[in-house]
């Protein structure tokens, strides 16, 4: 389906990959009904403090970018 996420890229703004190597359904959970994607604790357990640039690649070819800032257990995000 066009709205289905194919995969997610996560890289630190300072360089290097963020999160676990595999980004299947256990790292992020799409909620297509409400147009939301939730990052799971599995993702955050494999990251450290800093800015992380996320790119969600959809099966349609569309991409959506989002930046999160992690400081301890506090996470903020901006589209």
């Amino acid at each position: 389906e066009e709205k289905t996420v194919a995969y997610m890229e996560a890289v630190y703004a300072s360089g290097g990959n963020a999160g676990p190597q595999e980004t299947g359904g256990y790292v992020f959970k799409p909620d297509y009904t409400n147009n939301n994607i939730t990052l799971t604790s599995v993702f955050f357990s494999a990251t450290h403090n800093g800015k992380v640039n996320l790119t969600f690649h959809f099966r349609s070819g569309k991409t959506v970018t989002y930046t999160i800032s992690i400081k301890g257990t506090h996470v903020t995000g901006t589209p």
Side-chain angles (χ1 to χ4, degrees):
E1 184 176 313
E2 188 171 305
K3 288 174 57 175
T4 304
V5 178
Y7 64 97
M8 176 187 80
E9 288 179 78
V11 295
Y12 291 104
S14 60
N17 293 331
Q21 294 297 316
E22 298 297 321
T23 60
Y26 67 97
V27 174
F28 64 91
K29 296 198 181 285
D31 176 356
Y32 297 113
T33 302
N34 294 304
N35 294 320
N36 290 319
I37 299 173
T38 302
L39 299 173
T40 70
S41 60
V42 172
F43 175 80
F44 290 107
S45 68
T47 58
H48 56 75
N49 288 342
K51 286 192 179 197
V52 179
N53 298 316
L54 306 173
T55 304
F56 295 93
H57 295 261
F58 291 82
R59 297 207 186 279
S60 65
K62 179 180 178 180
T63 59
V64 173
T65 57
Y66 197 80
T67 300
I68 59 172
S69 295
I70 303 169
K71 186 171 184 182
T73 59
H74 185 73
V75 179
T76 57
T78 55

